[in-house]
Amino acid sequence: MRIESLTLIRVAMPLVRPFTTSFGSQSAREVLLACVDIGGTQGWGECVAMSEPVYNAEYVDGVEHVLVHHLLPRLMVVDDFAIEDVASILRPVLGHHMAKATIETALLDAWLRKEGRSFAEYLGATKERVRCGVSVGIAATIDELLAEVDGYRQQGYQRIKLKIQPGWDVQPVRQVRALIGPDLPLTVDANRAYDRQSMRTLAALDEFDLQMIEQPLPEDDIAGHVQLAQLVATPLCLDESICSTLDAVDAIERGACRIVNIKPGRVGGYLESKRIHDACAERAVPVWCGGMLETGIGRAANLALAALPNFTLPNDTSASARYYRRDLTAPFVLQDGHITVPQGPGIGVDVDLDMLQDAMTGRRHIERSATGR
Ligand code: SMG
Ligand code: MG
């Protein structure tokens, strides 16, 4: 394939309720979409970076800059490449996984649409629907948290994940466990908010039979996670620490985690995500698909990934209504705790162009001819 044009679209997406984590609160997403044209067929990629570099180092303006000035020019000078070549063409640019994932996903969508094949089939999906959990932000009060959790439980989510931070951990977890009973899987996600001095607090969570503790320590403290894993009975899961297959293998072999959260944006795309899935499967380490409050465009692709066989734990692939009043695609709906994997060509869903028009805040179009090729 070769790229004829790239259109970058900014969309403002208000959340149905603010989402608070240990690194801040957000009431809307500023979404960057890439629409690529390869010889008349278009494909979409959703960038998962946030407006500010607070989840990891990437942020929306930075992604746009890297795409336009560093990634697109490297792809535009190649007249015929395969989707499997994209990562190596972009390898001279260090890091910037979310930017790389955005363009690679748009290209994969376009190429698969052209071939009449779905993401699910290409990636090797073995399930028609995936297990869904829900991620619950830090609330103003424990009563508010319990009301929110109760609503999700009634909707049928298969796992509740609570965001935690120092001062919002043992008590909310205790009360939520009392509310939901012993059978519904419960997890916590600290987004790196603890340090080696707070290992005792994390060990105090053992009594609540959590499925996992996600990313308790800073992303670069693998040795700290190894120590913590020896102190707590609850399995540790890494999110921010895992940016590649090498990271995953290293963390597993060192005993830093027993579960891996795979987010395609964080690791540079769906092809690397599949490699991480395979490496974890070989080592009998279960994985699940993380979420970045994606619109239906990113969610469709995540559902296809989560349909691979070693995605055995409930995923952060919640229904559209958990995030947005109106989505950029037909809404994904929770049925019996699952969401159905799209089977159409590419990501398998169409972008709602009316909705896109209504929510658009900016647009930038780059033609191949304008780059002198
Ligand atoms: O998409 O349901 C979702 C959000 C899941 O908690 C979630 N994501 O660290 O796992 C994580 C967070 C990061 C995103 S915060 C905007
Ligand atoms: Mg996380």
Side-chain angles (χ1 to χ4, degrees):
M1 70 185 110
R2 69 171 211 173
I3 299 179
E4 302 303 335
S5 71
L6 173 69
T7 310
L8 296 175
I9 299 169
R10 293 281 189 116
V11 187
M13 294 290 290
L15 293 167
V16 292
R17 57 159 62 89
F19 188 58
T20 302
T21 66
S22 60
F23 56 77
S25 194
Q26 67 181 125
S27 53
R29 257 195 82 211
E30 184 183 12
V31 182
L32 174 68
L33 299 173
C35 180
V36 73
D37 186 301
I38 55 161
T41 307
Q42 291 171 352
W44 293 87
E46 173 174 343
C47 168
V48 297
M50 299 175 65
S51 302
E52 294 189 70
V54 289
Y55 163 79
N56 67 7
E58 293 187 83
Y59 60 103
V60 181
D61 288 344
V63 167
E64 182 166 337
H65 186 277
V66 168
L67 275 170
V68 171
H69 297 282
H70 302 285
L71 305 185
L72 186 62
R74 284 179 164 77
L75 290 164
M76 284 275 199
V77 296
V78 186
D79 273 330
D80 188 18
F81 59 83
I83 192 69
E84 291 80 11
D85 301 331
V86 173
S88 54
I89 294 168
L90 301 181
R91 189 157 297 133
V93 176
L94 302 182
H96 296 286
H97 288 184
M98 290 177 172
K100 291 176 177 177
T102 304
I103 186 87
E104 188 193 76
T105 304
L107 288 164
L108 180 57
D109 183 38
W111 176 66
L112 289 173
R113 282 179 196 259
K114 205 171 203 161
E115 299 274 304
R117 296 171 63 190
S118 67
F119 260 57
E121 188 248 312
Y122 173 77
L123 292 171
T126 53
K127 291 171 266 189
E128 283 173 8
R129 54 182 207 160
V130 307
R131 304 177 66 194
C132 298
V134 62
S135 174
V136 188
I138 294 166
T141 64
I142 291 194
D143 282 348
E144 277 179 34
L145 176 74
L146 295 177
E148 192 179 339
V149 167
D150 201 38
Y152 294 137
R153 182 178 60 143
Q154 285 172 29
Q155 290 165 37
Y157 283 104
Q158 296 194 34
R159 172 271 279 150
I160 302 291
K161 156 168 143 181
L162 301 181
K163 291 291 187 177
I164 60 167
Q165 65 183 7
W168 183 266
D169 41 42
V170 176
Q171 283 316 320
V173 171
R174 183 188 305 282
Q175 303 236 16
V176 168
R177 182 48 100 194
L179 173 79
I180 65 177
D183 296 334
L184 185 61
L186 181 63
T187 76
V188 295
D189 183 1
N191 289 108
R192 329 176 307 268
Y194 294 83
D195 58 24
R196 292 185 184 194
Q197 278 67 54
S198 42
M199 291 193 188
R200 252 182 251 284
T201 307
L202 294 163
L205 295 171
D206 276 343
E207 70 170 288
F208 306 113
D209 189 28
L210 302 178
Q211 193 176 54
M212 71 189 82
I213 300 175
E214 181 179 345
Q215 198 68 51
L217 305 179
E219 70 281 11
D220 48 357
D221 194 9
I222 298 300
H225 285 99
V226 173
Q227 279 181 26
L228 180 62
Q230 288 160 3
L231 199 82
V232 299
T234 308
L236 301 186
C237 168
L238 292 175
D239 172 351
E240 286 91 329
S241 295
I242 307 299
C243 298
S244 65
T245 308
L246 269 177
D247 284 347
V249 169
D250 179 58
I252 292 165
E253 288 181 350
R254 291 167 66 182
C257 67
R258 286 194 267 158
I259 299 172
V260 171
N261 165 324
I262 302 183
K263 285 181 184 165
R266 193 191 64 228
V267 306
Y270 289 86
L271 279 68
E272 183 69 5
S273 295
K274 181 176 165 57
R275 285 190 284 269
I276 296 177
H277 163 274
D278 295 350
C280 290
E282 277 170 32
R283 291 162 179 81
V285 169
V287 304
W288 55 284
C289 182
M292 292 296 287
L293 311 172
E294 286 87 348
T295 73
I297 297 170
R299 188 164 314 283
N302 282 353
L303 288 165
L305 178 69
L308 269 62
N310 193 38
F311 281 82
T312 52
L313 298 165
N315 305 283
D316 274 349
T317 50
S318 308
S320 295
R322 182 257 172 267
Y323 311 94
Y324 303 110
R325 226 169 286 289
R326 195 174 156 200
D327 207 338
L328 293 175
T329 61
F332 283 103
V333 179
L334 191 73
Q335 283 172 311
D336 186 26
H338 297 80
I339 295 183
T340 303
V341 179
Q343 297 295 344
I347 57 173
V349 294
D350 292 321
V351 177
D352 179 339
L353 296 176
D354 290 336
M355 170 60 185
L356 189 64
Q357 196 63 42
D358 290 350
M360 192 184 306
T361 56
R363 187 177 178 279
R364 181 170 186 173
H365 183 74
I366 304 164
E367 287 279 342
R368 179 181 198 85
S369 51
T371 65
R373 294 287 302 176

